[in-house]
């Protein structure tokens, strides 16, 4: 494998982003240090220590909430287009620091440098989307049954929005939420994954620059760090009306129960067990490209990664053989070397989950056709590099019913009409992303119909992985049902209010009720 020395620019990137050896675990834009315990961030690329953050204590959290609620009083009364101007400036800052932040994302999370740059581009794109949206936050006007009355509905900001993000997209998912919440007049408190805290510090630094340059309160964007116990400070807090949480289904169920218990609102983006259906009319070349990137991109650690390939028996061997040949061409190594296709898993716990999944599929009667394994030696010292694997399996295998957050692809065979493949796809508990490869119009429309895919995302002739910010992103069933990013997802961050105005000298009651005095 080719290797890259530590002169690839990460030190320069950290300097540009203002990420120091020890960073505040709690921040409202200032450099006040927390009194909490230390979290060390080690890169899965080479095992080196990137830096440290201090966890947020209850006392720190109290200060953060004070800053956030105070900032909300200022931020909510700014006209939305003026808030859009601030978001525009934030997007421009991201453009200036795209390379540096992309390198940090790649180095701290382990995804390829191109994917790191792509993640920052998603942040820029959602800022652009939000800027336009700032002049389009709309309500509805409707006719009243009472003469001389006007009815309409409008949207108001919630207040403090709590954001809990996952390691696999350490910056983009925060931006999806934050850019829209800011436009809507909300302020945000963000708990990034404890596995990628430096990315959180970098983003907070960029946001703080923008607010300082505009003489705005630093509490509009707040950062807290730590494990689930720190997240609980937000989920239990009645002053945080909306919690947006991205992560595992297990985590999401805990958050949903806690927030619902206080009658708060939650936006959940949870697990995905995504499938591509390959019909007899599929373009095999396109299928292989979509399936391979979907299965091995980000080392299989995307919520939209392709886990299952449901292939018709008539083309099964052809697709299988093409996949095996394609996997032989994969280059595994340092993700900052753009010659490599696959970087490391996030940590050794993820490696253990990967190896256990391969053992499980064999125990259940599956057949490994592309061998996996953990890589060691020069360039693999972190212990986080694994070989993407392919296993033949059956739909009812227990391991196939669960999300394996690693580069393991399960091949499933179907017979008969497209309805049989759709049934296999839909029988898992998750419902995030789905795709069909076919040149048959009837099959494509059936897949997209009411009786088709039950996922929040359904694609034709592209893979399951990757989404543009213009469309609402999210899924059904154990994926949580939330929607982020584009379309009308902005409404999640606001409270709806119906208004009736009487401009007469009479007071008629609705439904013709008589109440004479």
């Amino acid at each position: 494998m080719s290797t890259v020395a530590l002169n690839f620019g990460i030190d320069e990137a950290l300097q540009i982003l203002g990420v120091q050896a020890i960073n505040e675990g709690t921040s409202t834009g200032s450099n006040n240090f927390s009194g909490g315990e230390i979290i060390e961030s080690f890169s899965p690329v080479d095992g080196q220590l990137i830096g440290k953050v201090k966890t947020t204590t209850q006392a720190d959290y109290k200060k953060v909430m004070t800053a956030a609620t105070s900032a909300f009083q200022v931020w909510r009364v700014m006209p939305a287009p003026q808030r859009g101007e601030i978001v525009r400036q934030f997007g421009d800052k991201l453009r200036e620091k795209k390379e540096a932040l992309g390198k940090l994302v790649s180095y701290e999370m382990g995804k390829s440098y191109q994917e790191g740059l792509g993640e920052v581009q998603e942040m820029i794109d959602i800022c652009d989307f939000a800027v336009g949206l700032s002049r389009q936050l709309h309500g509805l006007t409707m006719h009243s049954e009472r003469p001389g009355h006007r009815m309409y509905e409008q949207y108001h900001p919630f207040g403090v929005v709590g954001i809990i993000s996952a390691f696999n997209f350490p910056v983009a998912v925060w931006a999806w939420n934050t850019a829209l919440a800011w436009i809507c007049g909300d302020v945000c408190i963000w708990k990034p994954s404890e596995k990628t805290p430096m990315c959180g510090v970098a983003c907070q630094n960029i946001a703080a620059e923008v607010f300082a340059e505009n003489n705005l309160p630093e509490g509009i964007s707040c950062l807290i760090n730590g494990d689930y116990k720190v997240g609980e400070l937000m989920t239990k807090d009645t002053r945080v009306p909306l919690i947006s949480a991205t992560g595992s289904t297990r985590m999401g169920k805990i958050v949903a129960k806690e927030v619902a218990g206080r009658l708060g609102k939650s936006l959940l983006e949870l697990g995905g067990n995504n499938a591509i259906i390959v019909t007899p009319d599929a373009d095999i070349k396109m299928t292989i490209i979509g399936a391979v990137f979907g299965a091995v991109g980000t080392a299989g650690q995307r919520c939209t990664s392709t886990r299952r390939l449901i292939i018709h028996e008539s083309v099964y061997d052809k697709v299988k053989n093409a996949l095996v040949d394609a996997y032989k061409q994969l280059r595994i190594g340092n993700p900052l070397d753009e010659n490599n296709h696959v970087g490391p898993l996030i940590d050794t716990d993820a490696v253990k989950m990967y190896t256990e999944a391969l053992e499980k599929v064999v125990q259940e009667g599956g057949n490994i056709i592309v061998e996996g394994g953990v890589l060691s030696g020069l360039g693999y010292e972190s212990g986080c590099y694994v070989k993407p694997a392919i296993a033949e399996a059956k739909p009812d295998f227990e391991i196939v019913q669960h999300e394996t957050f690693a580069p393991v692809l399960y091949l499933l065979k179907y017979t008969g009409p497209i309805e049989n493949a759709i049934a296999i796809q839909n029988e898992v508990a998750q419902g995030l992303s789905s795709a069909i490869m076919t040149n048959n119009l009837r099959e494509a429309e059936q897949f997209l119909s009411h009786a088709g895919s039950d996922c929040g995302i359904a694609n034709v002739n592209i893979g399951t992985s990757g989404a543009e910010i213009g469309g609402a992103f999210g899924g059904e069933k154990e994926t949580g049902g939330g929607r982020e990013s584009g379309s009308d997802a902005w409404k999640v961050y606001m409270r709806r209010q119906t208004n009736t105005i009487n401009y007469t000298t009479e007071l008629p009651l609705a439904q013709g009720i008589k109440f004479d005095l």
Side-chain angles (χ1 to χ4, degrees):
M1 60 164 286
S2 58
T3 61
V4 177
L6 283 179
N7 62 355
F8 50 66
I10 188 63
D11 291 335
E12 180 184 359
L14 294 173
Q15 184 176 6
I16 292 170
L17 297 168
V19 178
Q20 309 301 322
I22 299 180
N23 295 271
E24 66 273 20
T26 301
S27 177
T28 56
S30 67
N31 291 318
N32 295 323
F33 283 78
S34 163
E37 298 177 354
I38 292 289
I39 294 178
E40 295 180 323
S41 177
F42 292 91
S43 171
V45 174
D46 54 18
Q48 296 297 308
L49 178 67
I50 305 173
K52 305 175 183 180
V53 299
K54 292 186 177 181
T55 58
T56 300
T57 65
Q58 288 191 359
D60 297 327
Y61 179 75
K62 184 177 180 180
K63 294 177 183 178
V64 166
M65 279 302 304
T66 298
T69 53
S70 175
F72 176 59
Q73 306 307 314
V74 176
W75 186 241
R76 68 177 177 178
V77 296
M78 283 184 65
Q82 290 185 21
R83 297 194 295 260
E85 166 60 18
I86 302 303
V87 174
R88 183 194 66 76
Q89 293 178 33
F90 179 63
D92 285 346
K93 289 281 187 185
L94 291 171
R95 286 178 170 90
E96 294 173 11
K97 302 183 179 185
K98 178 178 177 180
E99 180 179 354
L101 186 54
K103 283 185 177 179
L104 177 57
V105 168
S106 178
Y107 189 60
E108 187 170 35
M109 186 269 148
K111 65 176 59 176
S112 74
Y113 179 47
Q114 281 299 311
E115 290 183 86
L117 292 175
E119 185 167 345
V120 182
Q121 187 60 49
E122 280 192 63
M123 301 174 75
I124 295 168
D125 291 345
I126 196 64
C127 285
D128 288 349
F129 180 88
V131 172
L133 182 64
S134 69
R135 295 181 181 271
Q136 300 178 67
L137 299 176
H138 57 79
L140 293 174
T141 300
M142 61 282 291
H143 291 279
S144 171
E145 67 184 58
R146 291 167 282 184
H149 287 58
R150 180 166 68 89
M151 293 178 62
Y152 70 96
E153 66 178 23
Q154 59 179 327
Y155 289 84
H156 297 296
F158 260 137
V160 179
V161 171
I163 302 168
I164 300 172
S165 63
F167 74 85
N168 59 331
F169 279 84
V171 297
V173 171
W174 168 73
W176 286 2
N177 285 273
T178 300
L180 296 190
W182 283 345
I183 287 297
C184 293
D186 299 316
V187 299
C188 298
I189 299 178
W190 176 29
K191 192 201 87 65
S193 170
E194 61 269 34
K195 297 181 180 182
T196 51
M198 298 302 158
C199 287
V201 172
C203 290
Q204 177 69 5
N205 289 344
I206 296 171
E209 284 185 39
V210 175
F211 293 128
E213 289 168 0
N214 288 273
N215 296 314
L216 287 168
E218 57 187 15
I220 295 169
S221 178
C222 299
L223 180 75
I224 58 177
N225 267 300
D227 59 14
Y228 71 94
K229 294 178 182 178
V230 173
E232 285 179 349
L233 296 175
M234 287 194 300
T235 59
K236 293 180 178 180
D237 194 337
T238 57
R239 296 170 296 176
V240 185
L242 173 65
I243 296 289
S244 175
T246 303
S248 68
T249 297
R250 180 193 61 80
M251 178 276 292
K253 289 180 177 180
I254 296 171
V255 170
K257 182 177 180 180
E258 189 66 51
V259 176
R262 60 176 175 85
L263 298 182
K265 291 178 169 52
S266 56
L267 191 170
L268 302 175
E269 297 290 356
L270 311 176
N273 193 351
N274 316 297
I276 299 176
I277 295 173
V278 185
T279 79
D281 291 312
D283 182 313
I284 301 301
K285 182 178 179 181
M286 289 176 59
T287 298
I288 298 304
I289 294 172
V292 174
F293 177 74
V296 309
T298 323
Q301 296 172 116
R302 292 188 176 209
C303 53
T304 55
S305 291
T306 305
R307 312 291 179 198
R308 299 173 295 147
L309 211 57
I310 305 168
I311 311 167
H312 192 270
E313 60 177 351
S314 65
V315 293
Y316 183 86
D317 288 337
K318 187 175 183 180
V319 172
K320 179 178 74 172
N321 293 334
L323 279 171
V324 171
D325 289 340
Y327 270 53
K328 292 176 182 177
Q329 302 174 47
L330 293 177
R331 292 184 294 274
I332 308 166
N334 190 316
L336 285 158
D337 182 344
E338 295 187 61
N339 292 313
N340 292 324
H341 298 106
V342 184
L345 293 176
I346 185 64
D347 55 26
T348 53
D349 288 338
V351 173
K352 181 181 178 182
M353 178 186 64
Y354 157 87
T355 56
E356 288 175 349
L358 291 177
E359 292 170 0
K360 177 70 172 176
V361 73
V362 172
Q363 291 171 4
E364 293 194 67
N367 177 39
I368 305 291
I369 61 172
V370 173
E371 292 290 337
V374 181
L375 296 170
S376 60
L378 182 63
Y380 302 125
E381 291 88 351
S382 69
C384 298
Y385 291 87
V386 301
K387 299 177 184 178
I390 302 177
E392 293 180 296
K394 293 184 179 180
D396 60 352
F397 282 7
E398 183 183 4
I399 190 63
V400 174
Q401 293 291 313
H402 297 282
E403 179 185 42
T404 300
F405 217 60
V408 179
L409 180 63
Y410 302 112
L411 303 191
L412 313 175
K413 185 183 296 185
Y414 83 94
T415 60
I418 188 62
E419 288 84 356
N420 294 346
I422 293 172
I424 293 172
Q425 179 204 279
N426 291 348
E427 69 181 7
V428 298
Q430 308 82 8
L432 179 52
S433 187
S434 59
I436 187 171
M437 294 291 185
T438 183
N439 288 323
N440 184 311
L441 178 62
R442 291 178 175 174
E443 289 179 335
E445 290 296 333
Q446 176 69 14
F447 179 72
L448 300 176
S449 73
H450 295 322
S453 170
D454 65 1
C455 296
I457 299 169
N459 299 327
V460 176
N461 289 331
I462 63 172
T464 62
S465 189
E468 299 179 33
I469 59 92
F473 179 90
E476 302 301 324
K477 301 189 294 187
E478 287 196 355
T479 300
R483 292 296 184 275
E484 296 172 326
S485 192
S487 187
D488 64 349
W490 62 270
K491 294 180 180 179
V492 176
Y493 305 91
M494 305 193 83
R495 58 181 177 87
R496 184 187 301 208
Q497 184 181 81
T498 300
N499 307 113
T500 306
I501 300 171
N502 177 4
Y503 55 90
T504 74
T505 59
E506 303 293 330
L507 187 59
L509 301 178
Q511 292 85 48
I513 294 173
K514 300 297 182 181
F515 187 75
D516 296 327
L517 295 176

